[in-house]
Amino acid sequence: PLKAEKLFEQMTPHLEKRGAEFVKKLNAIYQFHIFAKKGGPVTKFTVDLKHGSGSMSVGDTAKPDATFIMSDDNCIALAQGKLNPQIAFLQGKMKIKGNMAAATKFTPDLLPKIE
């Protein structure tokens, strides 16, 4: 299983606390396509920061404004603050599809804190 699954499981209680604030600030739907190794199966996580106080679901559940594509390890490194998103993008460790303005608003501090 992906380490990112644990991260995204924590997104629901995280959004219960801070979701309304995130929705006000971002007003966008994000998708994360996470893979254990390049060319391997991809797990999709959808984070809706457009409706209500936000929601998280597994799968392709809504049309995203921006999609982040990265490895499981890079996703965890981003969430832990060990990998800068701009550097990850420039080094090809993370791909972004869709609305770049929406993408740049999603910062790692919006993710739940993990060990």
Side-chain angles (χ1 to χ4, degrees), residues 1-20:
L2 296 170
K3 290 175 265 186
E5 281 177 28
K6 229 186 187 137
L7 170 71
F8 286 102
E9 274 169 19
Q10 291 174 23
M11 198 72 193
T12 299
H14 186 56
L15 287 172
E16 283 166 10
K17 288 188 200 116
R18 301 191 57 202

Side-chain angles (χ1 to χ4, degrees), residues 3-52:
K3 290 175 265 186
E5 281 177 28
K6 229 186 187 137
L7 170 71
F8 286 102
E9 274 169 19
Q10 291 174 23
M11 198 72 193
T12 299
H14 186 56
L15 287 172
E16 283 166 10
K17 288 188 200 116
R18 301 191 57 202
E21 161 200 344
F22 295 165
V23 168
K24 238 184 244 154
K25 195 167 129 187
L26 288 98
N27 189 32
I29 296 170
Y30 298 92
Q31 225 171 56
F32 292 81
H33 294 190
I34 311 295
F35 51 87
K37 61 178 204 272
K38 231 177 170 70
V42 172
T43 303
K44 296 177 181 179
F45 301 94
T46 301
V47 180
D48 181 339
L49 298 177
K50 197 176 240 177
H51 304 100

Side-chain angles (χ1 to χ4, degrees), residues 35 70-80 83 88 92-94:
F35 51 87
M70 68 191 94
S71 73
D72 193 30
D73 289 340
N74 286 336
C75 179
I76 296 302
L78 272 174
Q80 292 172 332
L83 181 62
K93 291 180 179 177
M94 173 175 71

